[in-house]
Amino acid sequence: MPIRIPNDLPARHTLESEGVMVMTEATAARQDIRALRVGLLNLMPNKVKTETQFARLIGATPLQVELTLVKITSHTPKNTPAEHMLAFYEDWEDVKHQKFDGFIVTGAPVELLDFEDVTYWDELSRIFDWTQTNTHASFHICWGAQAALWHFHRVPKHALPQKRFGVYRHRNLKPSSPYLRGFSDDFSIPVSRWTENHRADIPASRGLEILMESDEAGLCLIDDRPHRALYMFNHIEYDTTSLSDEYWRDRTAGKPITLPANYFPKNDPQLPPENRWRSHAHLLFGNWINELYQSTPYELSAIGR
C-alpha cells in the first residue's frame, strides 16, 4: 500500500519520480482498510524538504499510511510561504482531539536556547504530554529528541565547542531491538547539531535503553518504552545533499562552518557526496511502522487508554 498525502503537496511529485507509491485521497476512500495515522509536527525551517524526507521513509512500507502535517499553533514559520502552511498544515490545537497511531516531532534550529526560552515551549510541552494519551507511539528527531528527553526525564543537553557536522560511524548496541531488526553492526548516519546529550546523564531507573551510539558523535538513538517513544539525536532522514546544502548556505552567508566530516569524497566540496545511510534510514522507519501496525489498537478511539 502507498502513503496517503494531500493531492497537491509538493512532495508528491518528488516521491512519484522516485517510484514511491502515493495514493490519492479519492482512491484511499474507496479502500476498505484502516490506514495507519501518522502525524508530523514539522519544526524545521525548510518545511517542503522535510515533508519529502519523512514521507519518503514512511511511504516505503507495504502498509497504507495517512500522513497529517501539523504545526505549532502559537508560532508562525518565517521560511515557508503562508499559502503552503494554510493549504497543507493543521494547527495542533485543531487536531489535539484526534488520535494517531504514530507521531513524529522533528528537529528545530533553536538548540542553543534553553528549552524554556523557546517561544513555543509551553505548547510543545503540552504536545509531549498529549502524545501519552492521543498517540500510540512517538518518534522524536534531533532537537525534538533532546526536548522530549528533557520534558519526560530532565536529561540536560550540553553545548559543543563547535558544530558536530558530518557523517559518523555508529554501533548497533541492541541487535535484539525490534527497531534495529536487520541493522548492520556498524553503519553511518549524518549529524548536524550544536549540542549533545551525555550517556552519564541518562537515568538508570527510568526504562531508557540506548540502541545506537558513536565513538565520535555520542548518543544516537534511545528507546523510551514507558513513554512509547524513540529519541533519535541525528538526521538519519537527511537527503544525500542535505549536509552540502547546509555547508554552502553558511559559507555563502559568511558564517563560520567547518567541512562536514567523512562526507565529501576526498574532502573536496566540489565533488558530489555519496549516500551511505539511505538503506538504514528506510530500515529504521520500516521497523517503526511495523511495530505500530503490530501493536496499535484497531479502533482509533482505544489509543491512549
Side-chain angles (χ1 to χ4, degrees):
M1 295 292 178
I3 186 172
R4 178 179 171 184
I5 57 176
N7 293 341
D8 298 324
L9 190 71
R12 171 180 291 273
H13 304 294
T14 302
L15 297 175
E16 289 176 337
S17 70
E18 295 174 355
V20 177
M21 293 184 66
V22 182
M23 176 177 284
T24 65
E25 308 226 0
T27 301
R30 290 197 300 269
Q31 292 197 338
D32 185 18
I33 187 173
R34 182 174 94 68
L36 286 177
R37 296 202 69 213
V38 174
L40 175 65
L41 180 64
N42 190 354
L43 305 176
M44 292 289 278
N46 191 324
K47 306 294 185 193
V48 175
K49 181 177 291 187
T50 302
E51 296 155 12
T52 305
Q53 291 168 349
F54 284 103
R56 175 185 295 118
L57 297 173
I58 295 169
T61 174
L63 304 171
Q64 185 188 134
V65 179
E66 176 187 344
L67 181 64
T68 300
L69 301 175
V70 182
K71 72 179 184 71
I72 295 285
T73 308
S74 59
H75 178 73
T76 301
K78 299 177 181 178
N79 300 295
T80 303
E83 296 79 10
H84 181 87
M85 302 303 297
L86 185 63
F88 302 114
Y89 279 78
E90 298 188 55
D91 289 341
W92 175 71
E93 287 287 347
D94 292 335
V95 302
K96 66 181 183 181
H97 64 283
Q98 300 178 22
K99 300 292 183 79
F100 292 86
D101 299 290
F103 198 76
I104 300 169
V105 179
T106 72
V110 294
E111 56 184 312
L112 290 177
L113 295 174
D114 290 340
F115 293 117
E116 290 78 6
D117 290 339
V118 175
T119 56
Y120 49 80
W121 179 253
D122 288 345
E123 184 173 345
L124 185 59
S125 295
R126 295 196 299 274
I127 292 173
F128 288 147
D129 290 334
W130 169 85
T131 64
Q132 302 304 290
T133 59
N134 285 61
T135 76
H136 181 64
S138 56
F139 200 152
H140 307 269
I141 310 293
C142 201
W143 181 83
Q146 294 180 329
L149 194 57
W150 171 255
H151 176 79
F152 289 123
H153 301 284
R154 283 301 185 260
V155 175
K157 58 183 172 68
H158 302 271
L160 293 163
Q162 65 179 25
K163 186 177 184 179
R164 185 156 292 143
F165 190 44
V167 180
Y168 296 90
R169 293 176 64 178
H170 287 71
R171 288 176 286 115
N172 180 349
L173 302 183
K174 298 289 180 180
S176 60
S177 168
Y179 301 111
L180 301 188
R181 189 179 294 115
F183 261 71
S184 305
D185 296 331
D186 179 281
F187 44 89
S188 296
I189 296 178
V191 178
S192 178
R193 48 182 163 81
W194 288 93
T195 57
E196 66 179 357
N197 293 93
H198 293 168
R199 173 184 270 265
D201 293 331
I202 304 300
S205 59
R206 302 294 295 273
L208 297 171
E209 185 175 38
I210 300 172
L211 303 184
M212 295 180 186
E213 193 172 22
S214 168
D215 292 336
E216 293 181 89
L219 296 175
C220 178
L221 182 66
I222 292 179
D223 183 7
D224 182 358
R225 292 187 185 180
H227 292 91
R228 306 183 311 281
L230 285 180
Y231 308 132
M232 160 62 70
F233 303 111
N234 301 325
H235 285 288
I236 198 168
E237 82 282 0
Y238 264 7
D239 295 325
T240 302
T241 61
S242 293
L243 293 179
S244 176
D245 294 341
E246 289 184 23
Y247 173 75
W248 287 112
R249 177 200 65 199
D250 288 355
R251 277 286 302 273
T252 302
K255 297 180 180 179
I257 184 69
T258 60
L259 202 67
N262 315 308
Y263 179 60
F264 290 113
K266 302 178 182 179
N267 281 328
D268 183 350
Q270 303 299 330
L271 296 177
E274 294 180 346
N275 191 309
R276 305 195 302 280
W277 61 91
R278 183 186 298 112
S279 58
H280 284 95
H282 279 279
L283 195 54
L284 178 61
F285 275 83
N287 287 340
W288 182 65
I289 292 290
N290 182 61
E291 286 301 300
L292 288 183
Y293 176 74
Q294 296 293 337
S295 60
T296 195
Y298 181 78
E299 296 293 339
L300 272 171
S301 61
I303 288 175
R305 289 181 183 172

